[in-house]
Amino acid sequence: MPWLHFFAARDDLLDLLEFALSHPGMEIFESYSEFDRPLRRFTDPAELRALPQIGLDPHGIGAALQLALWLPDVGPRPAVDRIALKPRAVPGHTFREVIRGPGLFTLQCGGIHQRASVLTASALGWFTEAGARRKYLDPAAVERIDWEAHRTFAARLRDHVSRRLAVASVPGRPVLAGADRLRREGLALKDTIRAETAG
């Protein structure tokens, strides 16, 4: 799965998500629901702006919030699975929901970690066709993806981050406008996401 790593503040992430939602039919989901709650789905930028956790990383380890982008042109609606939690694994909770599908685009949102005065990296990732054929557990789902449409949208996302939103860079990482402002105000940039892997 290729990854595009970058530094983004809250407004940068919301700009990127608004760009994604400008594509007809786009829906954005939580990758994992909160405990004992159904998976949330977003189709309006205002719904995303209402999420206070976008742009914050309370633990300073990256991927504080993970979202999944689905475009109907790419393939059928992804599956939502309910995962039963082992008894006492998470006290007071019994399940959570997860979304899955080989045509999804994943946004791992980094953000500000106040205690350490750092901004952690964000990342966009997606399966390539070859990677999905090798690694995805449901071959029939892989066959239902329009991989040409998938490649086109992946290129649009990459271009939007790297060429339209980025105003600076650090080695191998675009820095978006809000993140660059925070860096100039004294926040350090912290790259917490593992290196890009093939596929």
Side-chain angles (χ1 to χ4, degrees):
M1 179 178 278
W3 290 95
L4 171 63
H5 306 268
F6 57 96
F7 289 98
R10 175 180 170 84
D11 286 347
D12 301 320
L13 292 167
L14 289 170
D15 285 349
L16 173 58
L17 292 166
E18 187 165 351
F19 168 75
L21 284 172
S22 72
H23 292 75
M26 170 63 71
E27 295 181 24
I28 296 173
F29 299 83
E30 295 174 302
S31 293
Y32 300 91
S33 74
E34 296 176 355
F35 294 118
D36 298 328
R37 300 227 175 153
L39 201 73
R40 289 182 290 180
R41 152 187 175 274
F42 309 96
T43 58
D44 186 313
E47 297 170 325
L48 292 161
R49 284 193 294 272
L51 294 177
Q53 65 266 45
I54 291 181
L56 296 177
D57 185 355
H59 304 294
I61 56 175
L65 172 67
Q66 188 164 299
L67 300 172
L69 286 61
W70 172 65
L71 192 62
D73 288 351
V74 165
R77 181 170 287 278
V80 175
D81 294 335
R82 180 169 287 201
I83 300 170
L85 302 174
K86 292 181 180 176
R88 297 182 299 281
V90 184
H93 300 289
T94 59
F95 76 91
R96 72 190 309 189
E97 292 186 344
V98 60
I99 195 165
R100 61 179 176 81
L104 292 171
F105 299 83
T106 298
L107 174 61
Q108 295 179 350
C109 299
I112 296 173
H113 178 50
Q114 293 285 9
R115 278 184 319 207
S117 296
V118 298
L119 179 72
T120 58
S122 295
L124 271 167
W126 52 85
F127 271 117
T128 62
E129 181 177 2
R133 290 188 187 285
R134 276 195 320 271
K135 299 174 185 175
Y136 199 72
L137 297 178
D138 181 355
V142 175
E143 293 302 324
R144 290 192 292 270
I145 301 302
D146 180 338
W147 289 104
E148 185 56 40
H150 188 275
R151 282 187 290 274
T152 297
F153 186 64
R156 283 185 190 149
L157 286 174
R158 183 181 291 276
D159 181 74
H160 196 71
V161 170
S162 300
R163 299 188 179 186
R164 299 184 188 279
L165 296 179
V167 298
S169 66
V170 294
R173 306 288 186 255
V175 180
L176 309 194
D180 192 52
R181 184 181 66 252
L182 291 173
R183 177 176 63 163
R184 286 185 274 107
E185 290 171 0
L187 279 187
L189 302 182
K190 181 181 177 185
D191 200 342
T192 56
I193 301 170
R194 69 179 187 271
E196 182 170 317
T197 57

